[in-house]
Amino acid sequence: SAVISQKPSRDICQRGTSLTIQCQVDSQVTMMFWYRQQPGQSLTLIATANQGSEATYESGFVIDKFPISRPNLTFSTLTVSNMSPEDSSIYLCSAQMAGLNIQYFGAGTRLSVL
Amino acid sequence: AQSVTQLDSHVSVSEGTPVLLRCNYSSSYSPSLFWYVQHPNKGLQLLLKYTSAATLVKGINGFEAEFKKSETSFHLTKPSAHMSDAAEYFCVVSDRRSSASKIIFGSGTRLSIRP
């Protein structure tokens, strides 16, 4: 398995600002993902973080709003840009190891936008 | 295309009684199926997974699930509920053919345990 650390664990932000969430994995993984969980909802995939190249975004999510970096095999960041109250959600990072069809999740970042 | 349907948004049982959380899936190919649990203010924890071996899968904390291809179901059960089982449970499907495939989450079932 993989242990995934996310920070910050929670934050309260002002409208119009940006927040960068960090995700660190304790071992080298092939794939990393970012999800959003809106209040009372299930998880929705935002994008797949590709190492050394641009992330692959799902329908409804764009790079300008959710820029993602993945400089190496164990680290990724997600930025929520120009935030509005509608961005208040839990953002979760997950990682998948080579040859294993299992995703392991971080504890999530609880974001509230005022 | 793949999809997963959790038939109950909320299940409430008494402590010590059996738990049944229902999940049906749709997949064009042989699926991998998972159950994750999310306790309040916590991340997601993998409970169990089905990939292609035994159809009855045992997970952590006394949970198990049975893959029934004829019914396209993967229901989660536990013989005796404990107060600590109160959480949100997600059924998840992915395409077993590819380790690079995305996973699809069900809408979740909130399990409440009555004393």
Side-chain angles (χ1 to χ4, degrees):
Chain A
S1 66
V3 176
I4 300 170
S5 302
Q6 250 185 268
K7 58 180 181 181
S9 59
R10 62 178 66 240
D11 207 342
I12 300 172
C13 300
Q14 296 297 319
R15 180 195 299 261
T17 63
S18 297
L19 175 72
T20 295
I21 302 168
Q22 297 181 5
C23 179
Q24 179 74 53
V25 189
D26 69 342
S27 55
Q28 292 189 347
V29 293
T30 53
M31 305 190 74
M32 295 181 73
F33 306 88
W34 287 97
Y35 291 83
R36 182 175 71 183
Q37 185 180 23
Q38 295 178 299
Q41 303 292 316
S42 187
L43 279 74
T44 301
L45 180 63
I46 297 172
T48 302
N50 301 310
Q51 192 244 333
S53 64
E54 191 173 288
T56 304
Y57 290 84
E58 297 300 304
S59 176
F61 297 97
V62 295
I63 188 171
D64 289 346
K65 176 67 175 177
F66 298 102
I68 288 171
S69 77
R70 189 180 172 192
N72 56 52
L73 289 174
T74 63
F75 185 77
S76 179
T77 66
L78 168 75
T79 299
V80 186
S81 303
N82 188 25
M83 288 183 285
S84 67
E86 291 72 34
D87 295 320
S88 298
S89 293
I90 301 172
Y91 292 86
L92 296 107
C93 169
S94 76
Q96 183 171 313
M97 302 175 76
L100 292 180
N101 192 12
I102 300 172
Q103 289 188 25
Y104 296 95
F105 285 82
T109 296
R110 283 153 183 80
L111 172 62
S112 296
V113 184
L114 305 179
Chain B
Q2 300 171 98
S3 66
V4 60
T5 302
Q6 291 184 244
L7 299 162
D8 307 293
S9 59
H10 182 212
V11 170
S12 180
V13 302
S14 297
E15 188 175 20
T17 64
V19 174
L20 170 63
L21 305 183
R22 298 183 295 165
C23 173
N24 285 101
Y25 70 91
S26 173
S27 179
S28 303
Y29 304 98
S30 297
S32 291
L33 293 157
F34 310 83
W35 277 96
Y36 285 86
V37 60
Q38 185 178 36
H39 286 95
N41 299 314
K42 302 278 188 180
L44 273 75
Q45 180 182 19
L46 180 66
L47 268 182
L48 51 80
K49 64 182 187 292
Y50 166 79
T51 51
S52 64
T55 56
L56 182 61
V57 181
K58 294 188 184 297
I60 61 172
N61 302 334
F63 284 94
E64 61 183 38
E66 185 171 8
F67 173 71
K68 292 187 176 180
K69 186 175 181 179
S70 60
E71 300 177 9
T72 61
S73 69
F74 191 58
H75 301 334
L76 182 70
T77 60
K78 182 173 181 177
S80 176
H82 191 273
M83 294 300 293
S84 61
D85 294 327
E88 189 85 16
Y89 291 80
F90 293 97
C91 183
V92 173
V93 64
S94 74
D95 183 354
R96 196 194 318 154
R97 295 174 305 153
S98 170
S99 62
S101 65
K102 300 168 194 171
I103 62 176
I104 307 297
F105 277 80
S107 55
T109 298
R110 182 164 60 90
L111 176 62
S112 300
I113 311 296
R114 301 187 299 271

